[in-house]
Amino acid sequence: MPTTTMKPLDSVWLMMETPDTPMHVGVLASFAKPGSASRSFYADMAEQMRAAQVVSPWNSRLSRGLSPGMVPDREFDIDYHFRRSALPQPGGERELGRMVSRLHSNPLDRSRPLWEFHLIEGLERDRFAFYVKIHHALVEAVNGVSALLSNLSSRSRVRTANPLWSQPLTDHDNDDLTAGLNSSDLAESLDSIASLGKAAMGIVQGAVRPGERNSFLFPRGTPRSTLNRRINSQRRFATQQFEEQRIAALAKATDSTVNEILTYLCGSSLRRFFKEYNALPEESLIGVMPISLQEHGEHLAGNAIAGLRVPLGTHVGDSVARLDTVKEAMKRVRKDRAALPRETVTPYVLMRAAPMFASQLKGVGQFVPPLFNLAVSNTPGSEKPLYFNGARLEAVYSLSPLLQFNALSIDCVSYAGTFNIGFTGARDTLPRLQRMAVYFGKALEELEERVAPEEGAA
């Protein structure tokens, strides 16, 4: 059977995977059933999706052996990968969150193609959902959403939409570790990836020796928190949605960017959540923003593994002062990103990958100082409404993989005038994760109340 060689960074995700830290991304999308839908709408849609042609890489599995690659799965079974289920009544967001939490907790079977697609019926207000689970080795986290959206239509009358697995994954230059590299660059990158294990062990040895900690690989200022405990494979997932206009209005009123407001909301919700459990560190929690490097150029390496660190201002009590702290931190991040020469991006990513890989090594990971407390991302979706067989997409959320000793990821997706925020958390570490989503909304309301008098005075 012909074997497709995997990209170097894809192999890293496979190396980092353990039973407690499955390396798959997820996408949850909810739809409103069209008013003209027949009684057999779901059955007809499921039949159409099962009958669709399956193309590579959706019908490929991992090859066996020391060097990972993709080979055609001669025993491919669409009924294993495409599944249809229904929510218990009343079919609200809580029931949907519980089902998705359970689905996202289960690792993918490495002996089969690395994806699942769930058609979930029974949502209240005549709605349904798609939950897609794809291994990070197939698609970057920031592309899980775009992969799904690319199969939707901008016209409500289209009834011939194809499912995700009927089209090949688009290879985006700015997400490809090897994009823009010549053969010698690629060879060097492969050699670097192959040596990550040795580099990781050297980093661990340096980290545990007093006075030898490298400030670049292990930057200071990251407090150990509840978020940096050992985790298992069980996940919780919560959601929140805002009108984009509210965020934009706050950004204008406070002379901030949209990303600064979103970062402020993350820090504010985390502050309230951890104060409730008397577990808030005295120093600011640190978020890593994987998409920050993406803005630097068109050929970037491994944005989802590099990331830049941003203090979230959780140590500041006053909301306006907290926003000012976040804005100053974001300015420093932009300055650092701008100072990174284009030709150094790949070495930078590989260097930053080494300590992250070291933190995942069994038996030594607990000695690696935390590089960050949680992951934060903001992914652009579609500015216009999208449809699948006439059903309007109402919300779309990203679910991230969690690394060992990093128990939370907050991921925002913009879509058709809304911001959709997904909270992926380690189940045993973060009980009542939905409260964090609620506090996100309360932080927005609090800032709106603080800046409203200023708007009126103007």
Side-chain angles (χ1 to χ4, degrees):
M1 291 186 291
T3 302
T4 302
T5 303
M6 302 192 73
K7 300 172 188 176
L9 189 58
D10 297 339
S11 300
V12 171
W13 291 114
L14 291 170
M15 294 165 63
M16 293 175 72
E17 186 169 54
T18 71
D20 288 337
T21 55
M23 289 289 107
H24 55 254
V25 303
V27 181
L28 174 64
S30 60
F31 297 81
K33 191 167 72 171
S36 59
S38 65
R39 289 186 177 182
S40 60
F41 175 79
Y42 293 123
D44 293 343
M45 181 166 58
E47 182 179 356
Q48 174 189 348
M49 297 174 82
R50 285 195 181 96
Q53 180 184 11
V54 183
V55 302
S56 178
W58 306 103
N59 57 0
S60 300
R61 61 168 177 80
L62 287 174
S63 61
R64 297 176 178 86
L66 296 178
S67 179
M70 303 299 293
V71 297
D73 184 3
R74 299 291 176 82
E75 300 179 357
F76 180 84
D77 180 7
I78 187 61
D79 288 329
Y80 177 87
H81 296 276
F82 172 71
R83 307 179 188 184
R84 180 183 173 190
S85 56
L87 289 177
Q89 293 299 313
E93 296 301 320
R94 175 173 296 186
E95 287 75 25
L96 179 61
R98 286 174 176 171
M99 175 177 285
V100 172
S101 298
R102 184 173 66 253
L103 295 174
H104 201 63
S105 298
N106 299 323
L108 289 161
D109 185 348
R110 284 201 180 197
S111 68
R112 299 175 181 268
L114 297 172
W115 63 276
E116 293 176 6
F117 188 101
H118 297 259
L119 168 59
I120 304 173
E121 305 169 23
L123 275 71
E124 59 185 358
R125 303 194 309 277
D126 226 8
R127 296 179 301 146
F128 65 96
F130 292 161
Y131 166 71
V132 190
K133 179 162 60 176
I134 312 173
H135 199 283
H136 215 317
L138 295 184
V139 58
E140 289 286 357
V142 294
N143 277 341
V145 171
S146 59
L148 176 66
L149 297 186
S150 67
N151 284 77
L152 305 184
S153 173
S154 60
R155 295 181 296 169
S156 61
R157 295 184 179 181
V158 173
R159 294 294 192 274
T160 57
N162 292 316
L164 193 61
W165 51 90
S166 66
Q167 297 184 32
L169 287 171
T170 302
D171 196 7
H172 296 281
D173 283 348
N174 63 346
D175 298 319
D176 185 354
L177 182 66
T178 64
L181 301 179
N182 57 38
S183 57
S184 61
D185 291 331
L186 178 58
E188 291 177 4
S189 296
L190 286 166
D191 290 341
S192 299
I193 290 292
S195 65
L196 270 179
K198 294 181 180 179
M201 289 303 299
I203 287 169
V204 171
Q205 294 173 0
V208 298
R209 292 173 186 164
E212 294 188 23
R213 182 162 62 175
N214 187 305
S215 61
F216 171 76
L217 293 177
F218 294 107
R220 301 180 184 275
T222 304
R224 283 197 179 271
S225 75
T226 302
L227 297 173
N228 301 114
R229 294 178 180 174
R230 179 172 290 279
I231 66 174
N232 58 30
S233 64
Q234 297 304 300
R235 301 288 179 260
R236 295 184 190 271
F237 183 66
T239 62
Q240 180 63 275
Q241 187 184 62
F242 301 116
E243 293 297 321
E244 190 173 352
Q245 188 176 13
R246 294 179 68 186
I247 306 295
L250 274 178
K252 182 178 179 180
T254 59
D255 192 25
S256 308
T257 67
V258 168
N259 274 338
E260 288 168 351
I261 295 296
L262 291 172
T263 305
Y264 158 82
L265 294 175
C266 288
S268 299
S269 62
L270 287 165
R271 175 180 170 83
R272 183 164 182 171
F273 182 86
F274 285 111
K275 281 197 71 174
E276 187 175 273
Y277 291 97
N278 197 28
L280 182 68
E282 292 184 2
E283 299 175 89
S284 175
L285 292 172
I286 303 296
V288 63
M289 296 190 167
I291 64 169
S292 295
L293 281 176
Q294 194 176 34
E295 302 171 14
H296 186 69
E298 59 182 352
H299 293 301
L300 293 186
N303 58 68
I305 201 171
L308 295 178
R309 302 167 69 255
V310 179
L312 302 179
T314 55
H315 63 304
V316 180
D318 180 78
S319 58
V320 174
R322 189 180 315 124
L323 175 59
D324 290 338
T325 300
V326 167
K327 290 169 64 175
E328 183 61 32
M330 294 290 282
K331 288 179 182 178
R332 290 196 299 270
V333 165
R334 287 192 288 268
K335 182 178 179 180
D336 291 342
R337 184 187 62 221
L340 186 66
R342 186 182 301 273
E343 62 273 12
T344 67
V345 170
T346 295
Y348 174 85
V349 170
L350 295 173
M351 287 292 290
R352 294 302 296 266
M356 291 182 67
F357 183 71
S359 69
Q360 306 306 298
L361 295 178
K362 186 177 181 180
V364 298
Q366 65 267 29
F367 297 111
V368 178
L371 301 176
F372 54 89
N373 302 112
L374 69 151
V376 181
S377 72
N378 181 12
T379 303
S382 171
E383 295 181 359
K384 298 180 180 180
L386 297 175
Y387 302 84
F388 187 85
N389 282 339
R392 187 186 190 278
L393 176 66
E394 292 191 333
V396 57
Y397 303 95
S398 177
L399 292 85
S400 291
L402 299 178
L403 299 176
Q404 191 59 261
F405 306 111
N406 295 113
L408 177 65
S409 182
I410 303 177
D411 304 283
C412 178
V413 180
S414 59
Y415 163 69
T418 64
F419 279 114
N420 304 264
I421 299 95
F423 301 78
T424 307
R427 183 178 188 85
D428 294 342
T429 305
L430 297 171
R432 300 177 180 176
L433 184 63
Q434 186 61 42
R435 290 190 181 183
M436 195 177 295
V438 173
Y439 296 157
F440 213 90
K442 291 185 179 299
L444 178 62
E445 294 171 358
E446 180 183 7
L447 189 59
E448 286 174 330
E449 292 174 358
R450 288 291 302 271
V451 302
E454 297 177 16
E455 290 182 299

